[in-house]
Amino acid sequence: MSQMKNAIVGQSGGPTTAINATLAGVIRGVAKTDQIGTLYGCLNGITGAINDELIDLSASMDDGKLALLKHTPSTYLGSCRYRLDKEEDLARVVETLKKHNIGYFFYIGGNDSMDTISRLTAYAGDSGIQFIGIPKTIDNDLPVTDHCPGYGSAAKYIATSVLEIARDCYCYSTPSVTVVEIMGRHAGWITAASALARTSYSSAPDLIYLPERDFSTERFIADIRQALRRRRNVVVAVSEGIVVPQYDDDCGTRDVFGHRQLGGIGKALTDIVKFYIGCKTRSIEVNVLQRCAAHLASKTDLDESEAIGKAAVQAALAGETGKMMVYVREEPYSVSFDCADINGIANLEKKMPDEFISPDGNDVTAAFINYVTPLVAGEAYPLYENGLPVFLGR
Amino acid sequence: MSQMKNAIVGQSGGPTTAINATLAGVIRGVAKTDQIGTLYGCLNGITGAINDELIDLSASMDDGKLALLKHTPSTYLGSCRYRLDKEEDLARVVETLKKHNIGYFFYIGGNDSMDTISRLTAYAGDSGIQFIGIPKTIDNDLPVTDHCPGYGSAAKYIATSVLEIARDCYCYSTPSVTVVEIMGRHAGWITAASALARTSYSSAPDLIYLPERDFSTERFIADIRQALRRRRNVVVAVSEGIVVPQYDDDCGTRDVFGHRQLGGIGKALTDIVKFYIGCKTRSIEVNVLQRCAAHLASKTDLDESEAIGKAAVQAALAGETGKMMVYVREEPYSVSFDCADINGIANLEKKMPDEFISPDGNDVTAAFINYVTPLVAGEAYPLYENGLPVFLGR
């Protein structure tokens, strides 16, 4: 009998509310099979494999801890933003994997992390090690999969926040324009979810601007004037990735993946309103809570995120490698799991399709509302002690 | 038999998560007695009484709506920031009250609203109308009362947010300093509550700066250097009201009450860290959700806020006027209600006492933790439909 192989799991990229639910799913999936030995956790993303910094997850987790882990935001194992593109680093990763007799490598992350899976598969595909990516990104911008783990919770947080911010705005009788700046570099998925905030008594967000459409300052001013004729307190949702022509000073810094570091669009838009219209304005930058507010997670998102982790273990046992796990949507709403070639996913971005954006380019469509509504369904409250949520610390 | 008097209730100042719970309490209190006729709602604070813009709350509310109202953030009746200091306005208010046969005037608000109650009592004290203030402020800065309705929910929101932000910070291995800017012009109560975020695995906030202490840039730099020696990712909680000497450009605008409009202290502090220490920094301004995040309200706060509204009706029926309702703390923790002379409260601010601030001036004490802990206890989840909270619209 050949020696039983071990497995390793890592987390990478920006934190989300659901990435630890997926980790819990991988841990439960491995615990359930007798075909995998020890499950190691790779600390701080791929750098943990480069530097041989692993912890034994099989020994340190029990049911109680896994229940807490599912509701714990950000990355339990730590993260990194590190491009695995040096031959030397690839060799060191494979050396670590061989040293620990690893047969299965699971990596939970977004576009850049799928690039890591793609490179590892190409470099070590004949080593007998199987490489499986599991999606994770609030940006919801990975191709093939219907949606991404973490997106539903971000969408729920944004919609709830915009609803509560709108209530805050509506209490004064002075006309005002409030601009809510929301994450999303190239894709407007998170910003678009703000449309769920609309109720019978609140029209906020009155306007939605997405990076999928070119931004026109003239059009924006006309939109705001029209909205102010209909209501006293106008609320605008805008993606951080919008480029305002006269504010595009191109002075932003870039991260190690060459992405521009954005911010300040809310300020730019309120400056425009102040200058051309002159009413009271407020710019609100929704902070990192949109990716780590476990206190307001979507139950659908956490449950699916855990299940896709378990499904990844099944896929690996079935012999898959060089793949990313994907959600397949079924109607009435449910998801099943499949896996797709990593090379059709890594480094590609899924933007919002035309049918989800209104013809005017300043709103979403009913088709998008139908798409996003089931993803925010259900509340997944963490355990509270003394009034504060209890998370799993490492 | 003399004609039965009616009552009126208004809301004023900045929104809170709990001000509508107090409104629900007043409505329930009036509904319970047969000594008061109709309860009117005064729209947009005192300006509704000046302009005779009232709604009939007795006719429009039922048990189901009151249950929703308790969990609805911001002001159901609208608000204002208007100083009632003109003889002409006082006369118009009294004219409106007489026109509607008002015997009881309830005003839910903060320092400035208590000034309104004080002026009305002085102006119309012999008219037979009784004036009762009910405290409301996330700032927790009203004297006499043990704490203020709305503060417990703000404290819970801030502590939970700092805990989740800390998790977000801890996931990267690069040293960093994150500054979280929190509301509070002259009193540090809300910022201080961030100390509740500390757990066995997270020391955030590592430093807390309150407006009750003069800020020293030199001391701040030394504090940060020391904290960075102990841990990789340092989290700082700071009140918006802190004045950094070299950044005090005095260019802030002022509101109608003469208060400086503040903001930007987080940016100032991260600029200092970047310049003198040079590590990665992030500034997070917690937005208006700290005063209107009904999705994360404190059950203790909402229950007490409703009860003090009912108690105000009892106090009015007992003949009180020119008073503000106060919480009296009992041990083990519970509150009872009393009322105190409005002139010992209006326009006064209760800052954090010395025994709640550490000798070094960069933290809080165990005595403060004992004070604040019961105020955030319990979760008061709103009703959810389709994944979003349901609030009462008007």
Side-chain angles (χ1 to χ4, degrees), chain B residues 41-52:
Chain B
C42 185
L43 297 182
N44 303 315
I46 198 65
T47 59
I50 295 172
N51 303 320
D52 194 14

Side-chain angles (χ1 to χ4, degrees), chain A residues 241-280:
Chain A
I242 291 288
V243 179
V244 179
Q246 62 264 52
Y247 278 84
D248 185 17
D249 54 14
D250 213 25
C251 67
T253 55
R254 287 172 191 274
D255 72 9
V256 293
F257 290 104
H259 301 144
R260 267 188 65 196
Q261 301 284 291
L262 300 159
I265 182 69
K267 176 76 171 52
L269 295 193
T270 50
D271 282 351
I272 290 171
V273 172
K274 257 184 266 181
F275 185 79
Y276 289 99
I277 297 176
C279 73
K280 186 182 156 189

